[in-house]
Amino acid sequence: MQRAVLVTGASRGLGLELIRQLGRAERPPRYLFAACRDPEGARGRDLKNFAKCFSNIKIVKMDLDDFDSIQESAEEIQKALLPALLQAAQLSDEPGFSSKKAAVINMSSIMASMELFNIQHGKTYAYRISKAALNMVTKCLANELKPHGILCASVHPGWVRTDMGGEKAPLTKEESVQGILKVLSRLSEQDNGLFLDWRGQLLPW
């Protein structure tokens, strides 16, 4: 298992489930950073209660109340994470590319795919555009970080029963995250810069 993992959006939904499954893993990360906007608020309660039982889980507050704070947080994350990723890649005994070595995994959505566009998903312009932009970030990072041995990929978690997905969604959070973690464990150099779903199937941009 990885030495250190950072999960953003960790106070609810898939982010919280990732923290739960990684925390309970047979070989959990030595450091598991759970980043969220308001760990002291109502949404952070479940995360805080879970983290109390695990000494390796560290809760990180991310201030994202306005554009300036979003930009500042992004710059701070980049300054903190890029050196850590570079060091992890350099010191790792893992050959080639893998999530056990150093990786950036972006949680995307099939709704970002232009080829698989389906009007039945609703207009949701902002959501579609933001996830399509995230996919471009993945491609850019994959190209930029490839010489350093850092893997980058976008993952669609499926239609999941969360506050956003609703009760009609066919997947539970547990099923989605189990699939995602299995996919991440198998990633290699050939997956760098790709868009995959929670079963490991390739998705078109």
PDB file of all heavy atoms in Angstrom, residues 5 12 50 139 141 156 197:
ATOM      1  N   VAL A   5      -1.476   9.020   1.254  1.00  0.00           N
ATOM      2  CA  VAL A   5      -2.582   9.265   0.327  1.00  0.00           C
ATOM      3  C   VAL A   5      -3.319  10.517   0.788  1.00  0.00           C
ATOM      4  O   VAL A   5      -3.594  10.693   1.981  1.00  0.00           O
ATOM      5  CB  VAL A   5      -3.565   8.074   0.287  1.00  0.00           C
ATOM      6  CG1 VAL A   5      -4.778   8.419  -0.574  1.00  0.00           C
ATOM      7  CG2 VAL A   5      -2.885   6.820  -0.237  1.00  0.00           C
ATOM      8  N   ARG A  12     -17.758  13.586   2.972  1.00  0.00           N
ATOM      9  CA  ARG A  12     -19.024  12.940   2.627  1.00  0.00           C
ATOM     10  C   ARG A  12     -18.877  12.151   1.328  1.00  0.00           C
ATOM     11  O   ARG A  12     -17.861  12.223   0.643  1.00  0.00           O
ATOM     12  CB  ARG A  12     -20.141  13.971   2.469  1.00  0.00           C
ATOM     13  CG  ARG A  12     -19.860  15.024   1.412  1.00  0.00           C
ATOM     14  CD  ARG A  12     -21.026  15.973   1.254  1.00  0.00           C
ATOM     15  NE  ARG A  12     -20.760  16.994   0.241  1.00  0.00           N
ATOM     16  CZ  ARG A  12     -21.703  17.661  -0.390  1.00  0.00           C
ATOM     17  NH1 ARG A  12     -22.972  17.409  -0.135  1.00  0.00           N
ATOM     18  NH2 ARG A  12     -21.386  18.581  -1.287  1.00  0.00           N
ATOM     19  N   PHE A  50     -14.892   9.038  12.534  1.00  0.00           N
ATOM     20  CA  PHE A  50     -14.154   7.893  11.988  1.00  0.00           C
ATOM     21  C   PHE A  50     -12.660   8.049  12.241  1.00  0.00           C
ATOM     22  O   PHE A  50     -11.980   7.095  12.625  1.00  0.00           O
ATOM     23  CB  PHE A  50     -14.422   7.758  10.489  1.00  0.00           C
ATOM     24  CG  PHE A  50     -13.744   6.582   9.858  1.00  0.00           C
ATOM     25  CD1 PHE A  50     -14.280   5.303   9.979  1.00  0.00           C
ATOM     26  CD2 PHE A  50     -12.556   6.743   9.153  1.00  0.00           C
ATOM     27  CE1 PHE A  50     -13.639   4.200   9.416  1.00  0.00           C
ATOM     28  CE2 PHE A  50     -11.921   5.659   8.581  1.00  0.00           C
ATOM     29  CZ  PHE A  50     -12.457   4.377   8.713  1.00  0.00           C
ATOM     30  N   LYS A 139      -4.879  15.135 -18.600  1.00  0.00           N
ATOM     31  CA  LYS A 139      -4.025  14.956 -19.779  1.00  0.00           C
ATOM     32  C   LYS A 139      -2.775  15.825 -19.689  1.00  0.00           C
ATOM     33  O   LYS A 139      -1.668  15.377 -20.029  1.00  0.00           O
ATOM     34  CB  LYS A 139      -4.800  15.292 -21.053  1.00  0.00           C
ATOM     35  CG  LYS A 139      -5.901  14.305 -21.393  1.00  0.00           C
ATOM     36  CD  LYS A 139      -5.336  12.937 -21.764  1.00  0.00           C
ATOM     37  CE  LYS A 139      -4.659  12.923 -23.120  1.00  0.00           C
ATOM     38  NZ  LYS A 139      -4.228  11.554 -23.500  1.00  0.00           N
ATOM     39  N   LEU A 141      -1.311  17.051 -16.942  1.00  0.00           N
ATOM     40  CA  LEU A 141      -0.440  16.537 -15.889  1.00  0.00           C
ATOM     41  C   LEU A 141       0.259  15.253 -16.314  1.00  0.00           C
ATOM     42  O   LEU A 141       1.440  15.053 -16.011  1.00  0.00           O
ATOM     43  CB  LEU A 141      -1.246  16.286 -14.616  1.00  0.00           C
ATOM     44  CG  LEU A 141      -1.638  17.501 -13.782  1.00  0.00           C
ATOM     45  CD1 LEU A 141      -2.522  17.068 -12.620  1.00  0.00           C
ATOM     46  CD2 LEU A 141      -0.409  18.237 -13.267  1.00  0.00           C
ATOM     47  N   HIS A 156     -14.123   7.625 -13.599  1.00  0.00           N
ATOM     48  CA  HIS A 156     -15.568   7.796 -13.432  1.00  0.00           C
ATOM     49  C   HIS A 156     -16.040   6.765 -12.413  1.00  0.00           C
ATOM     50  O   HIS A 156     -15.862   5.561 -12.628  1.00  0.00           O
ATOM     51  CB  HIS A 156     -16.268   7.589 -14.774  1.00  0.00           C
ATOM     52  CG  HIS A 156     -17.744   7.352 -14.674  1.00  0.00           C
ATOM     53  ND1 HIS A 156     -18.603   8.227 -14.039  1.00  0.00           N
ATOM     54  CD2 HIS A 156     -18.516   6.323 -15.133  1.00  0.00           C
ATOM     55  CE1 HIS A 156     -19.834   7.757 -14.106  1.00  0.00           C
ATOM     56  NE2 HIS A 156     -19.808   6.611 -14.756  1.00  0.00           N
ATOM     57  N   ASP A 197     -13.365   3.941 -16.055  1.00  0.00           N
ATOM     58  CA  ASP A 197     -14.468   3.899 -15.100  1.00  0.00           C
ATOM     59  C   ASP A 197     -14.096   3.007 -13.919  1.00  0.00           C
ATOM     60  O   ASP A 197     -12.989   2.453 -13.861  1.00  0.00           O
ATOM     61  CB  ASP A 197     -15.784   3.468 -15.759  1.00  0.00           C
ATOM     62  CG  ASP A 197     -15.836   1.985 -16.129  1.00  0.00           C
ATOM     63  OD1 ASP A 197     -14.895   1.233 -15.802  1.00  0.00           O
ATOM     64  OD2 ASP A 197     -16.828   1.574 -16.748  1.00  0.00           O
TER      65      ASP A 197
END
